[in-house]
Amino acid sequence: MKILIFLFTVFALSYGNQYVFLVNKYDKEIELEAKIISKIAMASLNESAKIFIPNISKQEQKVYSKYLNLAQDCESANFVYNKNGSIETSCQNINKLFFTNNYRRLISNERYYGAFFWNKSRPNIVFIKKRLKKNSIVLSDEYAPYIEELDGL
Amino acid sequence: MVYKGILQKPYHLLIIAFIIVSFLLSMILRYEKVIEKDIFKIATNDLLHIARNYSLYIKDVLKDSNSYVNDIKADKKLRENLEKNIKNLITDNIKYIYLLYKDKNDVFRFLVDGSPEEEKSMLNQKFDVVNDKWFELYTAKQPILIKHTLLQRLSITYLVPVVYKGNVELVLVVDFSIETIREINDIITMIKSGLIFLLVFILVSLALFFIQYIKYNSMKKSSFTDKLTNLYNRNYLHDIQDKIKLNEYVIAVLDIDHFKTINDTYGHGIGDTVLKEFGDILLHTIRIDEDIAIRYGGEEFIVFIKRKSIDSEIPFQVIDRMFSNIKNHKMYINSEKYINVTVSIGVNKSPEKSKNFLEAFKVADSALYDAKNSGRDKIEID
């Protein structure tokens, strides 16, 4: 019996790392994204952030709510993070900041002042200088490497 | 004791097992890295070579250029041509391949991207990098391999500098998917499991051997021990008599005086008690690591007393001590009454003069006979 317990222990220790498959591998990415969005929203607003993410999935909601104060609708939010493409027409209030997860959307739509997105599996952040100014957003020096002057490119 | 050697003490086996297991574990850990490195080299060597060749191709395409970056930016056709070629390098193992430059603010930007349309970056799009190796490339001017530990979907990135007039102008970036590393890790895990299985097999074998050895020793000890007196028995004498070095011992043969009378008077129970106490006295009197006390049969005992040299007096001091300790010991036959037992001892002080143990024993036995015949309770030395 002792030998069996010993063999079982060796076996369990050898294959212990296989239990990693029980953890959703995308949770880590969502977690990182939630932390970054939370930080950006707080740095961009002069008040506490209430964030609306249209069409948010349950898995995202679970992770995001750990780091952000999530708004149920666009009207009650002061920061909109558009991850999934469309924003309802009622969500046009000017007293909000719009952020996206798509670089092309950022370039093509002036509503967005910045984007956080995964490029080549790496996290990337871009703010557009003119739009920061337009929204009266003053970011600390920490964000300087991420600010782009689109006209100069 | 006669048996000397590495297997005499069980902890020697544990030390051997520990050394073997430590050695095997260190080998597993050491060779795991070597194997990983070799398999990785085999799996990626061709791809890395292709990437280096492609960087040479880019140089060749831009051989008339004075500014690689500006020319690629300005020439859409050139970009399309490079992109078309770069796309051909995408495989199951190469997830992304793209061409970057570093602007005057040390920001990396895209020039050509071989990714599918939905993942393709735009010309001049900023690309955030966090690893300092990206910048080291500009001083090393040699390809650099970056292993990712934090990224979920990439295993390694290979950076190939495209150098113009001694300066790194462009960086060809090849991102490997996790599949290659996963496959390599699967092979390594398989090898490691095999080695661990082997290790467990060796450990279990050693454990079984150890258990068997303990059992064997225990049985051997039991078969060589007289249960009543706890001294060695005649089996043990048979076992050692041809191996024992006679020149290292003085042989004493002891016989309890009037033992038959004790048995007849007080019964065999008391006789056994006398024998047991007699055995205890011998065990407490001899030097347990050097001398050997054997119950030869009935009330007769043989003691091999170790001597350092032929003229050593110590064996005779031991014999005197045995003689007096037995004589002075009170052997209680009940809670109040005791008897004093005496012993006759025949000693062969020079066993080395005999051809073998049996002859040496005969000399000691003859001395014992003389001691018995001259009134008992005596030591007779021959």
Side-chain angles (χ1 to χ4, degrees):
Chain A
M1 181 53 82
K2 281 178 184 171
I3 290 171
L4 279 176
I5 291 169
F6 172 74
L7 286 174
F8 176 76
T9 309
V10 170
F11 183 82
L13 287 173
S14 308
Y15 290 89
N17 58 345
Q18 302 299 317
Y19 286 97
V20 170
F21 72 84
L22 293 172
V23 180
N24 189 327
K25 66 178 181 177
Y26 297 112
D27 274 4
K28 287 282 167 199
E29 281 185 7
I30 298 171
E31 199 171 310
L32 175 66
E33 188 178 296
K35 283 179 186 172
I36 290 170
I37 295 298
S38 166
K39 198 175 172 191
I40 288 171
M42 283 194 283
S44 305
L45 294 160
N46 292 321
E47 54 188 343
S48 60
K50 200 159 186 200
I51 300 173
F52 176 60
I53 303 172
N55 306 315
I56 189 170
S57 71
K58 279 190 178 172
Q59 191 191 359
E60 286 172 328
Q61 196 165 19
K62 194 178 158 192
V63 179
Y64 266 87
S65 56
K66 287 183 199 168
Y67 304 97
L68 301 165
N69 183 11
L70 286 175
Q72 292 302 310
D73 51 50
C74 178
E75 282 180 11
S76 58
N78 55 8
F79 188 97
V80 178
Y81 179 44
N82 183 9
K83 289 190 74 179
N84 303 303
S86 62
I87 296 180
E88 54 203 79
T89 42
S90 60
C91 191
Q92 297 292 330
N93 195 314
I94 53 162
N95 296 320
K96 294 180 193 353
L97 295 177
F98 286 83
F99 207 76
T100 182
N101 71 337
N102 186 300
Y103 185 75
R104 286 172 194 275
R105 196 184 298 139
L106 172 72
I107 301 299
S108 60
N109 191 336
E110 286 199 10
R111 173 195 279 179
Y112 302 102
Y113 79 98
F116 166 79
F117 53 96
W118 294 90
N119 192 6
K120 310 289 179 275
S121 300
R122 296 168 176 87
N124 271 251
I125 302 168
V126 177
F127 298 101
I128 295 175
K129 197 172 182 179
K130 269 188 179 175
R131 300 180 195 171
L132 283 173
K133 203 173 175 184
K134 191 180 161 190
N135 286 288
S136 307
I137 300 167
V138 181
L139 294 173
S140 63
D141 290 346
E142 185 190 352
Y143 294 92
Y146 307 106
I147 299 172
E148 290 275 82
E149 293 183 57
L150 269 183
D151 296 343
L153 296 175
Chain B
M1 298 299 279
V2 174
Y3 293 107
K4 300 279 180 192
I6 199 157
L7 296 180
Q8 190 190 359
K9 291 175 181 171
Y11 68 82
H12 285 156
L13 270 177
L14 284 176
I15 293 169
I16 293 168
F18 179 76
I19 291 168
I20 292 171
V21 170
S22 305
F23 175 73
L24 286 171
L25 269 175
S26 69
M27 293 300 273
I28 288 172
L29 291 172
R30 188 178 162 193
Y31 281 99
E32 185 189 350
K33 294 284 170 205
V34 175
I35 292 165
E36 184 184 358
K37 206 174 164 186
D38 285 352
I39 296 174
F40 180 80
K41 204 173 167 184
I42 293 163
T44 57
N45 200 35
D46 284 351
L47 298 172
L48 301 184
H49 198 70
I50 289 167
R52 285 197 296 273
N53 280 347
Y54 190 74
S55 74
L56 295 175
Y57 165 76
I58 294 169
K59 273 189 86 166
D60 192 48
V61 169
L62 297 165
K63 62 175 182 264
D64 298 325
S65 171
N66 288 324
S67 169
Y68 288 180
V69 177
N70 288 338
D71 285 355
I72 295 173
K73 274 188 192 176
D75 191 341
K76 194 181 175 192
K77 245 185 172 178
L78 176 62
R79 283 204 307 275
E80 284 172 354
N81 179 36
L82 289 171
E83 189 181 308
K84 195 177 154 192
N85 280 293
I86 225 171
K87 268 183 178 166
N88 291 331
L89 301 181
I90 302 276
T91 64
D92 287 344
N93 292 324
I94 294 179
K95 195 169 171 67
Y96 306 113
I97 179 160
Y98 41 98
L99 199 59
L100 302 175
Y101 73 98
K102 186 162 66 92
D103 71 9
K104 59 181 189 305
N105 296 320
D106 281 347
V107 175
F108 284 92
R109 296 189 182 278
F110 283 90
L111 279 176
V112 179
D113 188 356
S115 309
E117 204 56 41
E118 63 277 9
E119 290 187 79
K120 196 154 87 177
S121 299
M122 296 164 73
L123 175 67
N124 280 323
Q125 183 175 332
K126 180 171 73 73
F127 185 60
D128 294 338
V129 298
V130 288
N131 197 315
D132 287 340
K133 283 190 175 179
W134 286 76
F135 298 96
E136 285 171 21
L137 184 79
Y138 283 78
T139 47
K141 295 171 188 171
Q142 292 292 324
I144 288 178
L145 199 73
I146 301 170
K147 287 197 175 184
H148 299 295
T149 51
L150 296 172
L151 299 180
Q152 297 274 354
R153 294 171 210 182
L154 296 180
S155 56
I156 51 166
T157 292
Y158 190 52
L159 306 177
V160 188
V162 182
V163 181
Y164 176 68
K165 287 185 179 172
N167 294 319
V168 177
E169 284 273 306
L170 310 170
V171 184
L172 179 70
V173 186
V174 184
D175 284 331
F176 285 77
S177 74
I178 54 168
E179 294 308 315
T180 315
I181 295 296
R182 190 175 284 162
E183 281 164 19
I184 291 169
N185 284 340
D186 285 348
I187 295 168
I188 290 164
T189 305
M190 207 165 68
I191 295 169
K192 208 161 78 174
S193 301
L195 289 171
I196 287 170
F197 178 79
L198 184 71
L199 193 64
V200 170
F201 178 76
I202 291 169
L203 274 173
V204 171
S205 302
L206 275 171
L208 289 173
F209 174 73
F210 188 66
I211 292 164
Q212 289 301 320
Y213 179 76
I214 302 260
K215 274 185 180 175
Y216 170 75
N217 261 5
S218 162
M219 278 177 66
K220 197 173 173 183
K221 195 176 174 188
S222 173
S223 70
F224 284 160
T225 306
D226 177 64
K227 296 284 180 295
L228 185 65
T229 58
N230 275 330
L231 301 175
Y232 286 116
N233 59 19
R234 205 160 173 165
N235 289 337
Y236 184 69
L237 180 64
H238 283 307
D239 196 58
I240 64 164
Q241 66 182 26
D242 293 332
K243 301 169 198 163
I244 200 159
K245 290 176 182 168
L246 293 172
N247 60 332
E248 290 180 1
Y249 293 93
V250 165
I251 298 173
V253 181
L254 293 77
D255 191 273
I256 301 171
D257 295 333
H258 304 296
F259 185 72
K260 189 174 181 301
T261 311
I262 294 167
N263 259 343
D264 292 346
T265 311
Y266 303 107
H268 287 283
I270 296 299
D272 284 352
T273 306
V274 168
L275 286 170
K276 190 177 182 311
E277 290 193 29
F278 188 88
D280 286 346
I281 294 165
L282 287 190
L283 283 174
H284 283 97
T285 308
I286 61 169
R287 297 157 302 169
I288 207 77
D289 289 333
E290 294 179 296
D291 306 330
I292 305 164
I294 298 165
R295 186 183 176 197
Y296 187 67
E299 70 274 25
E300 196 168 347
F301 300 83
I302 298 173
V303 183
F304 292 90
I305 305 141
K306 188 99 173 175
R307 59 181 177 185
K308 293 262 163 54
S309 60
I310 286 173
D311 54 354
S312 170
E313 283 300 312
I314 292 171
F316 302 101
Q317 291 168 8
V318 174
I319 291 166
D320 280 343
R321 219 161 47 228
M322 285 194 294
F323 183 78
S324 54
N325 283 353
I326 291 162
K327 193 171 186 173
N328 297 330
H329 184 73
K330 292 172 182 174
M331 297 201 184
Y332 281 88
I333 54 174
N334 58 41
S335 55
E336 291 168 357
K337 199 174 176 187
Y338 65 86
I339 54 171
N340 284 101
V341 172
T342 59
V343 66
S344 300
I345 302 175
V347 179
N348 179 350
K349 63 178 180 182
S350 308
E352 75 280 0
K353 289 178 182 169
S354 304
K355 281 181 189 168
N356 52 41
F357 163 73
L358 286 175
E359 276 191 12
F361 172 72
K362 272 181 194 166
V363 174
D365 201 38
S366 170
L368 173 67
Y369 184 78
D370 292 344
K372 288 276 183 193
N373 280 343
S374 57
R376 297 185 173 87
D377 190 16
K378 277 185 180 167
I379 301 169
E380 200 67 49
I381 299 171
D382 202 341

